[in-house]
């Protein structure tokens, strides 16, 4: 029973993390048809912004040493600005190209960002102790302890999800974004400013990445220049499983992948456990054979012009 | 002249879709462009709306050159298009679709008044306000996109084949609505239509476009017998096949 509760919490927190990542990718895909493979590296850069830029072996806290509220605000703002810069300096020049072109550009951007990190901070992993109070355990009942951070991840995700739902349902910009995601040209013909809307999508996606930087670094306790790559792969798989272009799908896909990973590590025999990710991918293939369009059907699939 | 398209040529990649086409629309007029499939009718409207960029020629709206502007700027200048295939936002409900039409406006009180007016003009939209727009029938969707375009408070509305995919009685209803809109609020309309009978019935002036070139222009009052229009439309006189031609 205790084990079950711990597994459920762990699965939900993993799923929440993947859902946030998949949402960050889905937001850009929905209005721009861009699969941003640099998203994981945005998260990496947000993490590195916490420490003093130097190649010293021991990391010294920079922003990471500020008051927690400041840490959150500055890191999120930093990643938002980074995301916006990539739009205005790079993506806006390829936004009318094919999705494949944009995707390759995002790959190139991702590698560039990783190498910039190596140039400034060196290639070695750096230990970072962010929000240490969150890595402790909380006792739910006798003997059932879960990590506080896992509960924080779940809570933060749900707050963000509710905020996003309200944004998309209640605000003018949100409704415009849904319209543009379905039919970008028609939205523009009704006066929706295309560039501004895409910039807003980069802001939202960047804000999610910034928050994820903090969660991810707190959990890992270490920074590496490649740390965004494997998680990006899972985010991407989550968006595909959920159904490209559907934000609900991104969330569903994120939870599906996260929960599958955790449940597999709990139930797989000891010998197979190291190959957990392979098993997850196997399930992904089966799901896609069964539903090539993803778990959540989206109503609109027109090409944008 | 409210809108004048002056000698525009438009290319799709390198193929010309329009050659030296001119169209004029005066305030309060209903003007129809008719022509067979592939004549370049939609290309003309998309060029006016800034979706396509003419390689030569000019488009002047209210004294201002608008070719080269992007679609949102053209919309903000006062040209609202109902494109071919209607393009309702199926993931949005009826009210949200209409609200997108008010994107370019900030006059809250006026918006609410216009919003009520549109719902009065199209009562079926009022009934289905909270329903997904994708669930509406073809005729209802056509009403929705016309209502949505009206809410931009346009100085001219361009409509691409309002009769496409609608039952004949619904087509009558749509045209009735359009002529009422002109009568009641002085709306200027530029309509693309395949059926020349329909155009002769509803428009003040008419253009016939075929193979990317303008064939005929005139007041519908002078063209009522339809012969000249048919000739321009098909490219030869009815019943007299040209070399290798086909008799209709």
């Amino acid at each position: 029973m205790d084990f079950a509760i711990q597994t459920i919490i762990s699965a939900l927190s993993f799923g929440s993390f993947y859902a946030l990542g998949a949402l960050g990718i889905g937001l850009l895909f929905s209005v721009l048809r861009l699969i941003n493979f640099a998203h994981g590296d945005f998260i990496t850069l947000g993490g590195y912004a916490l420490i003093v830029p130097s190649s010293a072996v021991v990391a010294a806290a920079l922003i990471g040493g500020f008051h927690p509220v400041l840490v959150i605000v500055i890191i999120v703002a930093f990643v938002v600005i980074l995301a916006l810069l990539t739009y205005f300096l790079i993506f806006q020049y390829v936004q009318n190209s094919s999705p494949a072109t944009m995707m390759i550009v995002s790959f190139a951007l991702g590698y560039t960002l990783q190498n910039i990190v190596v140039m400034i901070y060196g290639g070695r992993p750096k230990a970072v102790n962010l929000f240490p109070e969150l890595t402790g355990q909380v006792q739910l009942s006798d003997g059932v302890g879960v990590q506080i951070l896992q509960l924080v991840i779940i809570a933060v995700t749900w707050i963000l999800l509710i905020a996003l739902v309200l944004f998309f349902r209640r605000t003018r910009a949100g409704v415009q974004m849904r319209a543009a995601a379905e039919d970008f040209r028609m939205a523009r013909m009704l006066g929706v400013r295309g560039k501004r809307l895409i910039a807003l999508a980069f802001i939202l996606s960047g804000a999610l990445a910034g928050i994820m930087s903090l969660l991810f670094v707190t959990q890992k306790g270490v920074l590496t220049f490649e740390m965004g790559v494997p998680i990006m792969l899972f985010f991407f798989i989550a968006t595909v499983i959920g159904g490209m272009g559907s934000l609900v799908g991104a969330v569903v896909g994120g939870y599906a992948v996260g929960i599958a990973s955790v449940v597999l590590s709990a139930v797989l025999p000891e010998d197979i456990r190291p190959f957990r990710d392979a098993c997850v991918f196997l399930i992904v293939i089966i799901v896609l054979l069964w539903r090539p369009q993803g778990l959540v059907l989206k109503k609109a699939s027109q090409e944008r012009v | 002249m409210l809108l004048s398209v002056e000698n525009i040529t438009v290319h799709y990649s390198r193929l010309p879709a329009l050659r030296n086409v001119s169209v004029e629309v005066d305030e309060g007029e209903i003007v129809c462009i008719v022509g067979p499939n592939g004549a370049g009718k939609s290309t003309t409207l998309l060029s006016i709306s800034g979706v396509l960029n003419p390689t030569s020629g000019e488009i002047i709206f209210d004294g201002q050159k608008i070719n080269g502007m992007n679609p949102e700027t053209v919309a903000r200048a006062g040209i609202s298009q109902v494109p071919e295939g209607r393009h309702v936002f199926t993931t949005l409900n009826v009210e949200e679709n209409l609200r997108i039409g008010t994107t370019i406006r900030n006059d809250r009180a006026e918006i609410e008044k216009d919003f009520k007016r549109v719902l009065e003009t199209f009562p079926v939209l009022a009934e289905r306000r909270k329903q997904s727009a994708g669930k509406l029938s073809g005729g209802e969707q056509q009403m929705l996109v016309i209502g949505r375009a009206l809410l931009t408070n346009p100085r001219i509305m361009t409509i691409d084949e309002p009769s496409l995919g609608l039952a004949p009685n619904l087509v009558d209803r749509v045209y009735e609505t359009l002529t009422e809109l002109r009568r009641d609020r002085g709306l200027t309309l530029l309509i693309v239509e395949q059926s020349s009978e329909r155009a002769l019935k509803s428009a003040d002036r008419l253009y016939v476009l075929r193979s990317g070139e303008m064939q005929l222009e005139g007041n519908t009052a002078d063209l009522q017998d339809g012969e000249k229009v048919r000739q321009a439309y098909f490219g030869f006189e009815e019943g007299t096949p040209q070399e290798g031609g086909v008799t209709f």
Side-chain angles (χ1 to χ4, degrees), chain B residues 130-204:
Chain B
K130 296 290 171 197
Q131 251 182 50
S132 159
K135 296 218 169 76
L136 299 182
S137 70
E140 289 162 352
Q141 289 193 356
Q142 189 68 57
M143 300 297 168
L144 175 58
V145 287
I146 292 173
R148 189 175 68 185
L150 275 177
L151 280 169
T152 65
N153 204 10
R155 300 196 50 201
I156 178 168
M157 192 151 113
T158 66
I159 311 184
D160 198 340
E161 300 213 28
S163 51
L164 197 74
L166 294 187
N169 60 327
L170 280 175
V171 177
D172 289 338
R173 176 80 192 91
V174 169
Y175 272 92
E176 236 169 72
T177 310
L178 292 175
T179 33
E180 277 166 24
L181 286 172
R182 192 258 297 261
R183 192 191 62 212
D184 298 345
R185 30 174 123 175
L187 185 68
T188 308
L189 286 158
L190 174 60
I191 305 172
V192 151
E193 186 49 75
Q194 277 216 35
S195 147
S196 53
E197 285 82 20
R198 175 62 62 184
L200 284 169
K201 219 193 290 177
S202 313
D204 304 317

Side-chain angles (χ1 to χ4, degrees), chain A residues 2 12 17 20 32 39 103 150 161 173 180 183-184 196 198 200 225 237 261 268 271 287-288 294 296 298 304:
Chain A
D2 301 352
L12 284 178
F17 188 74
L20 281 185
L32 195 58
H39 192 73
M103 189 174 82
Q150 291 188 330
L161 286 182
D183 192 337
F184 198 74
R196 225 186 255 192
I198 293 172
L200 181 59
F225 72 96
I237 287 168
S261 307
L268 279 181
D271 299 338
V287 167
L288 287 180
V296 175
K298 66 180 164 137
R304 65 178 281 262

Side-chain angles (χ1 to χ4, degrees), chain A residues 172 178 182-183 188 191 194, chain B residues 72 76 87 90-91 96 102:
Chain A
R172 247 180 157 188
R178 280 162 57 213
E182 180 177 341
D183 192 337
R188 291 183 73 191
Chain B
E72 52 263 46
R76 282 162 194 271
H87 294 259
T90 57
T91 48
E96 287 169 333
T102 65

Side-chain angles (χ1 to χ4, degrees), chain B:
Chain B
M1 218 35 81
L2 182 61
L3 174 72
S4 54
V5 176
E6 296 170 4
N7 285 313
I8 58 164
T9 297
V10 180
H11 288 81
Y12 280 120
S13 60
R14 286 160 95 184
L15 286 171
L18 287 181
R19 276 183 296 264
N20 291 321
V21 164
S22 299
V23 177
E24 292 197 317
V25 186
D26 215 344
E27 197 119 37
E29 267 191 315
I30 297 184
V31 175
C32 264
I33 303 176
V34 298
N37 250 334
K41 308 184 297 289
S42 300
T43 306
T44 310
L45 291 196
L46 291 175
S47 305
I48 292 170
S49 276
V51 175
L52 297 172
N53 220 340
T55 37
S56 68
E58 282 197 326
I59 302 172
I60 312 286
F61 176 65
D62 199 21
Q64 195 188 3
K65 177 172 162 266
I66 58 164
N67 50 310
M69 285 183 176
N70 58 31
E72 52 263 46
T73 317
V74 174
R76 282 162 194 271
I79 300 179
S80 196
Q81 178 167 170
V82 178
E84 192 180 351
R86 300 191 275 267
H87 294 259
V88 299
F89 300 112
T90 57
T91 48
L92 273 55
N93 67 29
V94 169
E95 177 166 353
E96 287 169 333
N97 263 278
L98 292 172
R99 294 277 177 201
I100 293 283
T102 65
T103 298
I104 63 178
R105 300 171 60 183
N106 281 317
D107 46 341
R108 288 229 168 149
E110 282 300 307
I111 288 176
E112 288 318 309
K113 249 191 238 163
D114 284 353
F115 191 78
K116 283 213 185 88
R117 222 160 125 197
V118 165
L119 292 185
E120 278 161 23
T121 315
F122 306 111
V124 69
L125 299 182
E127 282 163 35
R128 318 218 152 177
R129 216 165 146 161
K130 296 290 171 197
Q131 251 182 50
S132 159
K135 296 218 169 76
L136 299 182
S137 70
E140 289 162 352
Q141 289 193 356
Q142 189 68 57
M143 300 297 168
L144 175 58
V145 287
I146 292 173
R148 189 175 68 185
L150 275 177
L151 280 169
T152 65
N153 204 10
R155 300 196 50 201
I156 178 168
M157 192 151 113
T158 66
I159 311 184
D160 198 340
E161 300 213 28
S163 51
L164 197 74
L166 294 187
N169 60 327
L170 280 175
V171 177
D172 289 338
R173 176 80 192 91
V174 169
Y175 272 92
E176 236 169 72
T177 310
L178 292 175
T179 33
E180 277 166 24
L181 286 172
R182 192 258 297 261
R183 192 191 62 212
D184 298 345
R185 30 174 123 175
L187 185 68
T188 308
L189 286 158
L190 174 60
I191 305 172
V192 151
E193 186 49 75
Q194 277 216 35
S195 147
S196 53
E197 285 82 20
R198 175 62 62 184
L200 284 169
K201 219 193 290 177
S202 313
D204 304 317
R205 282 189 311 112
L206 165 153
Y207 289 86
V208 180
L209 191 64
R210 178 167 46 83
S211 312
E213 288 177 39
M214 204 52 92
Q215 310 291 330
L216 178 75
E217 169 194 352
N219 293 323
T220 46
D222 308 332
L223 298 166
Q224 280 304 327
D225 73 343
E227 196 45 48
K228 264 188 167 166
V229 174
R230 255 193 302 276
Q231 222 171 298
Y233 196 106
F234 292 110
F236 48 83
E237 273 178 60
E238 218 175 347
T240 50
Q242 298 169 319
E243 290 279 323
V246 191
T247 314
F248 284 89

Side-chain angles (χ1 to χ4, degrees), chain A residues 1-9 140-146:
Chain A
M1 183 59 199
D2 301 352
F3 180 64
I5 291 174
Q6 280 161 345
T7 306
I8 289 169
I9 301 271
L140 287 185
S141 65
D142 275 343
V144 185
V146 291

